[in-house]
Amino acid sequence: MYHQLNRLTGRLIASTHLQNPLFPVAPIVLQRVDPPAIQYNTTHMSTVTEATACSTGSRRLMPGTNIPYPPVSETIRKKQELFQKENDLPVHLKGGPVDAILYRLTMALCIVGLGGILHTVYTHAVPKKQ
């Protein structure tokens, strides 16, 4: 049985004219739709025209623009070469002795902090003897 609001009293009453629970909306059958094809970033999607890309020579353009990348300074180029060398060091130690000192200082502070946390948990868990 379906109910509706009475327009005069504002209370729920049994409905006599409702034929289905979706009255007055009838269900619509869903139609199967194929998912859209994924479009990867290719040259036909780029806003850069071929004439402007060739006019810059060997310089690469920023994606989606006609603006070439700015030149890289020499200090940044040296840092890139330093960090890209294959010398079996983790990246956080490739900067030299300063990085090693900072790494060890960070590890020491982590251990001190963990000790402080354990001390706090212990003092709250174990009551003081009276």
Side-chain angles (χ1 to χ4, degrees), residues 30-92:
L30 292 176
Q31 297 179 8
R32 183 167 299 279
V33 178
D34 293 332
I38 297 174
Q39 294 182 352
Y40 296 100
N41 191 10
T42 58
T43 56
H44 73 276
M45 295 177 63
S46 178
T47 58
V48 178
T49 60
E50 290 299 321
T52 57
C54 292
S55 66
T56 58
S58 63
R59 297 186 71 187
R60 295 183 58 203
L61 300 176
M62 286 192 238
T65 65
N66 291 333
I67 304 168
Y69 283 111
V72 179
S73 68
E74 193 60 34
T75 57
I76 293 177
R77 189 173 304 279
K78 287 181 183 176
K79 286 277 187 186
Q80 285 177 341
E81 290 173 4
L82 174 73
F83 280 87
Q84 291 174 359
K85 267 197 289 189
E86 284 292 329
N87 54 4
D88 294 333
L89 283 176
V91 73
H92 57 272

Side-chain angles (χ1 to χ4, degrees), residues 2 26 42 49 84 87 103 107 110 119 126:
Y2 303 109
T42 58
T49 60
Q84 291 174 359
N87 54 4
Y103 173 74
M107 287 299 113
C110 288
H119 176 357
V126 178

